[in-house]
Structure formats: C-alpha cells, structure tokens
Amino acid sequence: MRIAFTGGSGKAGRHVIPYLQEQGHHVLNLDLQPLDLPGVDNLIVDLTDSGQVFNALSSYANFGELEPGTGMPKFDAVVHFAALARILIKPDNETFRTNTLSTYNVMEAAVKLGIPKVIFASSETTYGICFADGEVKPDFIPVDETHPTVPHDSYAMSKICNEACGRSFQARSNIDIYGLRINNVIEPQEYASDFPAYVTNPDLRRRNIFAYIDARDLGQMVQCCLTTDGLGYEVFNVSNDDLSVALSNDEVRKRYYDGVPVVRDMSGNETMYCNRKAKEMLGFAPQHSWRDVLTEV
Ligand SMILES: NC(=O)C1=CN([C@@H]2O[C@H](COP(=O)(O)OP(=O)(O)OC[C@H]3O[C@@H](n4cnc5c(N)ncnc54)[C@H](O)[C@@H]3O)[C@@H](O)[C@H]2O)C=CC1
Ligand SMILES: O=C(O)[C@H]1OC(=O)[C@H](O)[C@@H](O)[C@@H]1O
C-alpha cells in the first residue's frame, strides 16, 4: 500500500515505519523533521496548517512517481501519529491546539480527498489515570474500551476530541477510521535501560496501569488495522500481553487496586490494560516482552 504516515520521525514512528516497510508498504513521512531511513520519503509539513495537509495528502512522494506520467497516485491510507505526545512539553493550551487541529486537518483532508482509511494515535491517557492530579484508580479492571474517558489534562482531552472527530468524520464519509489507545511505548533498548527500575519500584508503572506496548508490536497493530477493512469507526487498546512489572496480576491488584471491581478472572502476569478487542477483531498478536531481555527476573 501507499501510505502517508504523520509524525514518523518520532519515538513510535521510527519503529512502526520499518515494520510497515517490511510488510511491503511504501511510506511518505509527513513531519516537521525528516526520518533518515532508506526507502522512506519525507515531506516537511506543519499539520496544524490545513492547506499544507491537503496539499501533502495529494502530493507525489518522490521523483520516481513522476516517471510513468500517469498523474499523482492516491494514498491507500493515512497513519496519523504526529502530536505533542504528552503534557509539559509546551503549555497546555498549545498541546490541545496542536493535537486537535492537526488531527481535524488530517481526517478532513483524508475524507475529502477520498483516502479510504485513517488510523490515528489516541492514548491510554484518555482513561484519566496517567496524567491525573493525584492518584486516580480505574473504575474497574481490566481497563477495556468501555471504561469511562474523563481525563484531567489537556493532552488527554485533545485525544478525546480526536476520537470525537474520528467518529464524526467516519459517520459522514463511511471510510474506515480506527483509533489506537496506545499504552506507554517502549523501544527495544529501553528494556535494558528502564525496566530494572520498574522491577525494583513497581510504583513507577502505576500511571500506565502497569502495562506497556513494544514499539515493534505497535507496528504489527498498525499492519493489522491496514489489513482489516470495513469496521467503520473503532477504538482499540494497544498493549502487550504481560504486565510491565515483576509482580503477578494478583499481587498488583492487592497492592494497588484495593476496592476496585474486578470484572473478570485474570491470572499470571496478564495485562490489566485489556487488549482482547484488538486480538479478536484484528488478529493482533504481540510478539515481544521485556521478559525476553531481562531473563534473570
Ligand atoms: N510515546 C508514548 O508512550 C505514547 C504515544 N502516543 C501517541 O502516539 C503518537 C506518537 O508518539 P511518539 O512517537 O512517542 O511522539 P514523538 O513526540 O516522539 O513524535 C511525534 C512526532 O510528531 C511530529 N509533530 C509534532 N507536531 C507536528 C506538526 N504540527 N506537524 C507535523 N509533525 C508534527 C514531531 O516532529 C515528532 O516527530 C502520538 O500521537 C502520541 O500522542 C500514545 C500513547 C503513548
Ligand atoms: O510516559 C508516559 O507514561 C506517557 O507518555 C506519553 O507520552 C503517552 O502519551 C502516554 O500514553 C504515555 O504512557
């Protein structure tokens, strides 16, 4: 497929794009900064500017596409990852403005240009736990896509707005728009550098509901979304199968979630950030675990 990928130069994109290339896709990266990776085309775009977005999504990706003389090829999908990816990078209102406007612009252009699929990055923060003022516990565990989304912070609020836009643009157009409520993204080298501290101090993972998502498995999730058509508008939690701490599910529940209703049986080190919807509807099957790297734990 010919894919326009926004924000591909960032933490997640630089792993997801090579994964998509391995599946045979061609990627044009739309970002404020280029991604230096063989086979990836780059276009420097400020996605908060609608004119630039419409133009980029109706653009040639490279000089080679001029050769056949058959005009500009269409994109088969947009994968929209660009964002200010948390609070406390820029002031709260700027985070909200950048993320809502850029996502609106991307979805509107995709719909009006007839691009049949948009996959966009939402976030675990929509559940209101990650960047809350003080400790907020889940209403129930495991946290699945039916859990209320009432966050405190501007970043998560922007993602809630993105989801509302996705639902509305899908209703208006009937294209497929899939939102990914991504848990905390982990690059391969971060297992060795960061996870020993999580083993020692599991409190560090409380805000992530003790979950994580391997950046390469996030690539697989995007591929699952690209190859599954006709779902309309859907949101999916995206996480690995196991907890990001060395405690068992039972121990985490006892230590951190006293009084929180447990709505189904959980066992072993099963994640509390439920990824069953993605598995059942898309065939998502994460391959990686921090336990493959820190084998002594
Ligand atoms: N990193 C994480 O743990 C999580 C990330 N997400 C979401 O996943 C997506 C990717 O996250 P990361 O790769 O970690 O973020 P990142 O900050 O590493 O990369 C974001 C990219 O977006 C680009 N960008 C920002 N504003 C732009 C604009 N106006 N126009 C064009 N490009 C722009 C940046 O230049 C950057 O390359 C984001 O939407 C983020 O909110 C969701 C959950 C967890
Ligand atoms: O660092 C974190 O915990 C969080 O950072 C982010 O940027 C994400 O958007 C959020 O979902 C993460 O999990």
Side-chain angles (χ1 to χ4, degrees):
M1 294 168 88
R2 184 173 183 268
I3 295 166
F5 195 114
T6 78
S9 310
K11 178 178 187 180
R14 59 178 171 258
H15 297 279
V16 173
I17 288 178
Y19 187 95
L20 298 180
Q21 286 180 306
E22 281 166 24
Q23 314 310 310
H25 303 298
H26 180 267
V27 175
L28 172 62
N29 178 35
L30 311 178
D31 199 304
L32 295 170
Q33 302 162 33
L35 174 66
D36 186 12
L37 191 72
V40 175
D41 293 312
N42 289 283
L43 203 57
I44 302 305
V45 180
D46 181 350
L47 297 163
T48 62
D49 177 340
S50 175
Q52 292 190 40
V53 175
F54 267 90
N55 205 295
L57 290 181
S58 53
S59 172
Y60 297 98
N62 54 51
F63 292 116
E65 289 188 344
L66 296 170
E67 294 297 326
T70 47
M72 206 279 300
K74 276 182 75 163
F75 288 105
D76 299 301
V78 183
V79 182
H80 173 49
F81 271 35
L84 292 172
R86 58 173 172 80
I87 52 168
L88 301 177
I89 299 170
K90 292 205 174 172
D92 287 341
N93 63 318
E94 181 59 20
T95 304
F96 186 81
R97 187 190 74 86
T98 299
N99 293 355
T100 52
L101 200 54
S102 58
T103 302
Y104 177 90
N105 289 343
V106 167
M107 289 178 180
E108 181 184 45
V111 164
K112 290 184 176 172
L113 293 169
I115 299 172
K117 183 170 285 183
V118 177
I119 300 158
F120 70 98
S122 183
S123 166
E124 62 157 323
T125 59
T126 54
Y127 294 116
I129 293 157
C130 192
F131 297 141
D133 184 6
E135 180 176 0
V136 171
K137 292 184 183 178
D139 286 11
F140 55 82
I141 46 173
V143 173
D144 67 14
E145 293 83 350
T146 67
H147 189 284
T149 50
V150 190
H152 296 180
D153 65 288
S154 75
Y155 168 74
M157 285 184 222
S158 78
K159 295 294 187 180
I160 298 277
C161 291
N162 294 166
E163 292 187 2
C165 289
R167 199 180 305 119
S168 290
F169 275 121
Q170 193 283 327
R172 158 165 148 179
S173 64
N174 242 6
I175 71 169
D176 283 336
I177 302 187
Y178 304 159
L180 310 185
R181 288 184 183 157
I182 302 167
N183 202 281
N184 185 219
V185 175
I186 304 295
E187 297 183 87
Q189 76 279 5
E190 290 182 310
Y191 294 124
S193 62
D194 293 6
F195 273 59
Y198 306 154
V199 170
T200 312
N201 182 9
D203 291 7
L204 295 171
R205 301 302 296 176
R206 185 185 58 73
R207 70 182 178 138
N208 306 109
I209 319 174
F210 302 96
Y212 69 112
I213 176 66
D214 181 281
R216 298 158 294 184
D217 284 327
L218 179 56
Q220 188 208 124
M221 178 66 185
V222 172
Q223 169 68 2
C224 288
C225 290
L226 289 169
T227 54
T228 308
D229 295 330
L231 300 181
Y233 176 77
E234 292 290 345
V235 291
F236 298 96
N237 282 357
V238 192
S239 65
N240 282 81
D241 287 335
D242 58 339
L243 296 162
S244 59
V245 294
L247 302 175
S248 69
N249 186 297
D250 201 37
E251 288 168 326
V252 171
R253 272 185 274 145
K254 287 199 177 101
R255 195 185 292 191
Y256 296 97
Y257 292 147
D258 188 32
V260 176
V262 182
V263 298
R264 66 164 166 78
D265 286 342
M266 287 179 286
S267 61
N269 56 31
E270 181 182 344
T271 183
M272 295 192 184
Y273 191 79
C274 181
N275 61 10
R276 285 190 179 179
K277 182 177 175 185
K279 290 179 152 185
E280 286 165 11
M281 291 183 71
L282 303 171
F284 177 54
Q287 301 296 306
H288 300 280
S289 168
W290 65 273
R291 289 159 220 274
D292 301 335
V293 177
L294 300 188
T295 49
E296 302 296 301
V297 177

